[in-house]
Amino acid sequence: MKIIIAGATAIGSHLAHLLSRSDQDIVLIDEDYDKLDNLSSEYDLMTLHGSPTDIKTLRQAEAYDADIFIAVTPDENVNITSCVIAHTMGAHKTVAQVDKFGFVDVDNDGIVKKMGIDTLIYPEKLAANTIIKGLKLSWVRQRWDVHGGSLVMLGIKLRETCEILNQPLRLLCGPQDPYHVVAIKRGNDTIIPGGNDELRLYDIVYFMTTVNYISYIRKIVGKEHYADVRNVIIMGGGKTAVRAAKEMPSFIKTKIIEIDERTCEQVKDDIDDSNAIVIHGDGRDINLLKEENISNTQGFVALTGNDEVNILACLTAKKLGVRKTIAMIENSNYLSMAESLDIGTIINKKQLAASKIYQLFLSADVKNIGYLASVNADVAEFTAQSGSRVTRKKVFELGLPPRCTIGGLVRGKEGMLVSGGTQIQAGDIVVVICHETNMRNIEKFFTN
């Protein structure tokens, strides 16, 4: 597959990282020599110095023969223009990153398609959706819904109140049990567990279950005392905060604290149809937080443009009694540190956007794919095709690659957990979790 990425940005470089694990023909275009040099030395790809809106540059990149053209520069006008040119030259599929919600509004979908752009990526909306999921389940670090919620994967940090510590998983997750453990983060290590592995204190554990058993999972991990979020304070009035406020469920009361007065007024205009309250002030000011009743606030979300401020603000909120904290972290070097500081859920827009784009590269019938940053693992939903390898044998006989597991499946509308003796059928939507294994190596199990 020939892939052209326009923009050696955070999203572009993360895409290069994901794609470099497979044998793809990748061309990365940017006007910054230093960025290109750094990425070409790190990943298996070809770099091209130039503007993605320059026809000569696109000809050199052979955009006319591209299976997919992805524009993720910081300028949405460059992204849109380059996609239109690439489409006109013959690129099979185009993807553009945008920074205005109006482009991804469903009412404008037909216009965008006529322009020759197949997919639009709006990272702020992806981040807002992740934030809201995190607030709905205050005791969960990360939630992944399979096929509209027929199955649910929950990432949870285990504390002293957990009932299932230090026991072999073969005694906890049998064929008749209502959950499976599909991944474990222990310190800096990721474990795709087997029957002899045990859960330990402070592990971040990913459980696969059905919606009916979410409350059961909450009980066995000892999180029943965690208060559900009814009030949330968002620090920072950027685009992600606006999207989160506009899409926040009505049962969660939202306050946005923004330090810049002009931005504050803009946010008020942008969210005039929501129930959120906008406050001019510094979200790091403890006295202000107390005035805004942080003692009765169950959720705190730090969305400023400064990673250090977001981390420290979440730590402060925790000390003031907030149970659920969420921090936006854009610098990848800070992710492991933020995790070790136990600040709660971490949002990284570049990883969310790259994961959304990544699913376009898989030729099997993939419904959804994402990247679990805390365990450095991919998770995807594959549809088993008739006659494919995955339908010919039971799960334990398939010979799946190491560090890969099947977490569950959806048959019809029913979510089902998977054991070694499960026989997958054609049409089943199967959830696969992989650590350090390229999804394209799994793809062949599901295609003819």
Side-chain angles (χ1 to χ4, degrees):
M1 181 179 287
K2 183 175 182 60
I3 302 161
I4 299 175
I5 303 173
T9 58
I11 295 174
S13 59
H14 190 63
L15 265 176
H17 164 68
L18 294 174
L19 294 167
S20 64
R21 297 178 296 181
S22 61
D23 185 20
Q24 305 286 357
D25 180 8
I26 306 170
V27 179
L28 180 63
I29 302 173
D30 202 278
E31 296 183 271
D32 188 321
Y33 277 113
D34 291 337
K35 288 181 179 179
L36 293 177
D37 288 343
N38 290 337
L39 290 172
S40 64
S41 63
E42 193 171 352
Y43 305 126
D44 182 19
L45 49 78
M46 187 183 88
T47 60
L48 182 60
H49 180 259
S51 168
T53 59
D54 181 65
I55 295 176
K56 181 180 178 181
T57 300
L58 294 184
R59 279 181 178 152
Q60 286 180 284
E62 299 179 350
Y64 51 82
D65 198 34
D67 292 288
I68 184 165
F69 180 91
I70 304 156
V72 288
T73 78
D75 188 332
E76 71 177 1
N77 294 320
V78 170
N79 297 336
I80 291 170
T81 302
S82 61
C83 281
V84 170
I85 296 172
H87 170 78
T88 304
M89 293 176 71
H92 293 192
K93 187 179 291 187
T94 62
V95 180
Q97 177 191 346
V98 295
D99 58 16
K100 293 187 182 69
F101 178 73
F103 280 111
V104 296
D105 191 312
V106 292
D107 292 338
N108 298 329
D109 186 58
I111 296 172
V112 172
K113 290 282 195 270
K114 288 179 180 178
M115 293 169 64
I117 302 173
D118 298 287
T119 304
L120 290 174
I121 300 295
Y122 183 48
E124 284 71 22
K125 181 173 175 59
L126 299 175
N129 291 343
T130 304
I131 289 166
I132 291 170
K133 280 185 179 181
L135 293 173
K136 284 181 177 178
L137 292 179
S138 63
W139 49 281
V140 171
R141 287 289 180 92
Q142 190 169 7
R143 172 173 175 163
W144 180 274
D145 289 328
V146 179
H147 201 58
S150 299
L151 283 172
V152 180
M153 185 168 64
L154 305 173
I156 303 167
K157 185 154 189 174
L158 304 186
R159 308 286 184 178
E160 292 83 351
T161 51
C162 180
E163 301 175 3
I164 53 175
L165 296 174
N166 306 316
Q167 302 175 58
L169 289 178
R170 66 176 183 274
L171 302 179
L172 299 173
C173 308
Q176 305 306 315
D177 289 300
Y179 68 91
H180 285 170
V181 174
V182 295
I184 302 169
K185 178 66 178 298
R186 181 171 297 154
N188 293 322
D189 297 326
T190 294
I191 302 167
I192 301 297
N196 293 324
D197 287 298
E198 299 180 356
L199 305 182
R200 298 179 186 171
L201 187 63
Y202 304 130
D203 283 351
I204 298 177
V205 179
Y206 286 81
F207 295 85
M208 186 70 71
T209 188
T210 58
V211 173
N212 292 338
Y213 284 98
I214 290 178
S215 59
Y216 176 76
I217 300 296
R218 186 175 188 172
K219 175 183 179 299
I220 63 174
V221 298
K223 303 279 188 176
E224 289 182 301
H225 63 289
Y226 277 53
D228 293 330
V229 175
R230 292 292 180 268
N231 298 283
V232 62
I233 291 175
I234 298 176
M235 176 182 171
K239 294 177 182 177
T240 303
V242 169
R243 292 277 21 115
K246 289 177 76 69
E247 299 183 22
M248 195 73 69
S250 59
F251 64 84
I252 298 179
K253 295 180 180 179
T254 306
K255 294 178 181 178
I256 299 175
I257 300 178
E258 168 56 45
I259 195 169
D260 182 78
E261 187 172 4
R262 185 173 296 179
T263 303
C264 216
E265 293 303 317
Q266 182 62 54
V267 172
K268 288 180 182 178
D269 291 340
D270 290 341
I271 64 168
D272 61 352
D273 58 345
S274 76
N275 295 320
I277 298 172
V278 182
I279 299 160
H280 177 227
D282 189 343
R284 297 168 295 181
D285 185 340
I286 293 177
N287 290 328
L288 174 61
L289 293 176
K290 288 180 178 178
E291 288 176 13
E292 295 305 326
N293 200 18
I294 196 166
S295 61
N296 191 39
T297 298
Q298 302 81 32
F300 183 90
V301 185
L303 300 177
T304 77
N306 187 306
D307 291 349
E308 296 96 328
V309 168
N310 292 342
I311 292 170
L312 291 173
C314 284
L315 290 174
T316 300
K318 275 187 170 292
K319 287 183 179 179
L320 293 172
V322 179
R323 178 66 75 175
K324 179 69 177 184
T325 58
I326 300 174
M328 185 164 68
I329 309 294
E330 289 302 296
N331 188 333
S332 298
N333 296 326
Y334 288 160
L335 292 176
S336 59
M337 179 189 71
E339 192 68 61
S340 67
L341 290 173
D342 200 21
I343 63 170
T345 299
I346 296 168
I347 303 292
N348 184 281
K349 288 190 292 186
K350 74 172 185 181
Q351 291 179 346
L352 291 172
S355 294
K356 188 70 175 177
I357 297 169
Y358 186 42
Q359 73 182 76
L360 303 172
F361 302 112
L362 300 173
S363 59
D365 190 357
V366 184
K367 300 295 184 185
N368 207 354
I369 189 167
Y371 177 71
L372 305 177
S374 62
V375 288
N376 187 27
D378 293 318
V379 56
E381 303 166 26
F382 289 93
T383 300
Q385 296 182 10
S386 178
S388 60
R389 190 192 311 185
V390 78
T391 63
R392 299 175 200 158
K393 298 178 180 179
K394 294 182 177 179
V395 168
F396 79 94
E397 300 172 317
L398 290 175
L400 293 172
R403 297 179 293 279
C404 175
T405 188
I406 293 176
L409 61 83
V410 179
R411 182 170 295 159
K413 296 183 178 179
E414 182 183 0
M416 304 169 58
L417 298 176
V418 169
S419 66
T422 299
Q423 179 70 58
I424 294 171
Q425 300 177 9
D428 286 349
I429 297 171
V430 183
V431 185
V432 182
I433 299 95
C434 291
H435 170 59
E436 295 181 344
T437 300
N438 193 284
M439 277 293 180
R440 292 188 67 83
N441 295 329
I442 305 303
E443 188 176 28
K444 59 189 178 184
F445 285 85
F446 293 86
T447 54
N448 292 320

